[in-house]
Amino acid sequence: MPWIAKEGVEIYLTQEEMQNNATIFYNIFSAYGYTLESICGMLGNIQQECTINPALKQGESTELGWGLIQWTPSTELTDYADSQGKNWTDGNLQCELINREVLEGYGGRWLPTKDYSDTGEEFSKLTDVAESCKAFLYERERAGKPMLEYRLEYASNWYAFLSGKPPEPPEPPEPPTPSKHKKMSI
């Protein structure tokens, strides 16, 4: 199945199209050795950034973000694509670049922080979806806390989709213990 890439500004994918691209993304990153949880953490951020559309542009200017992780300026992505003799909208190329940034430190874009100090290798092995989502947000995206709740929800949903396990509902509270009191006559 090929990537679905719709080039332009504010061209968002449907749920079915996102599922197609998320499955491809998962297959690529699992082959690189990433855990399902770290992949879903990335996908939660990527859905927020571009609905998993590798051809989405934040705007026409090259000073704005383009691609799966909205490389800013977009020349970070387009120059890499040119050096590989490929089109910048190629989802496989973008996955290769993300992997190089995370695991090899390519371009100096993976920056551990005080709160999230994972190396790229450590990130790729995380086993908690929420922590993976936050780590990718703070160490790679650096978008701050805006939309964090959406990113976390999206990551959780991708985990449910890709693992085939729907999120488990919370445990219901224990019912109150019946009190032992006398019945009053009416």
Side-chain angles (χ1 to χ4, degrees), residues 73-120:
S74 61
T75 52
E76 290 180 12
L77 171 59
T78 57
D79 289 351
Y80 183 78
D82 290 345
S83 75
Q84 303 299 309
K86 296 183 179 175
N87 189 306
W88 72 269
T89 63
D90 182 332
N92 292 333
L93 169 99
Q94 291 183 36
C95 288
E96 175 186 304
L97 180 54
I98 293 168
N99 182 58
R100 289 193 66 197
E101 289 181 353
V102 173
L103 292 184
E104 298 172 19
Y106 180 84
R109 301 289 293 172
W110 185 263
L111 298 173
T113 65
K114 181 176 74 93
D115 295 324
Y116 287 91
S117 58
D118 299 308
T119 65

Side-chain angles (χ1 to χ4, degrees), residues 5-132:
K6 297 180 178 180
E7 187 174 344
V9 177
E10 295 184 21
I11 299 178
Y12 304 113
L13 300 184
T14 67
Q15 184 65 32
E16 186 176 301
E17 291 169 330
M18 285 193 295
Q19 288 173 343
N20 176 83
N21 287 358
T23 301
I24 297 168
F25 187 91
Y26 167 76
N27 289 335
I28 291 169
F29 278 91
S30 63
Y32 285 142
Y34 288 68
T35 62
L36 174 60
E37 294 83 357
S38 64
I39 293 167
C40 293
M42 289 189 285
L43 284 170
N45 282 282
I46 291 169
Q47 181 177 348
Q48 179 64 41
E49 293 293 325
C50 69
T51 67
I52 317 178
N53 179 1
L56 186 82
K57 297 177 177 182
Q58 190 178 22
E60 292 297 330
S61 169
T62 58
E63 294 302 311
L64 298 172
W66 293 8
L68 288 173
I69 58 175
Q70 295 292 283
W71 279 271
T72 306
S74 61
T75 52
E76 290 180 12
L77 171 59
T78 57
D79 289 351
Y80 183 78
D82 290 345
S83 75
Q84 303 299 309
K86 296 183 179 175
N87 189 306
W88 72 269
T89 63
D90 182 332
N92 292 333
L93 169 99
Q94 291 183 36
C95 288
E96 175 186 304
L97 180 54
I98 293 168
N99 182 58
R100 289 193 66 197
E101 289 181 353
V102 173
L103 292 184
E104 298 172 19
Y106 180 84
R109 301 289 293 172
W110 185 263
L111 298 173
T113 65
K114 181 176 74 93
D115 295 324
Y116 287 91
S117 58
D118 299 308
T119 65
E121 183 67 31
E122 290 168 333
F123 167 78
S124 74
K125 304 301 181 210
L126 290 175
T127 58
D128 181 286
V129 174
E131 288 305 304
S132 298

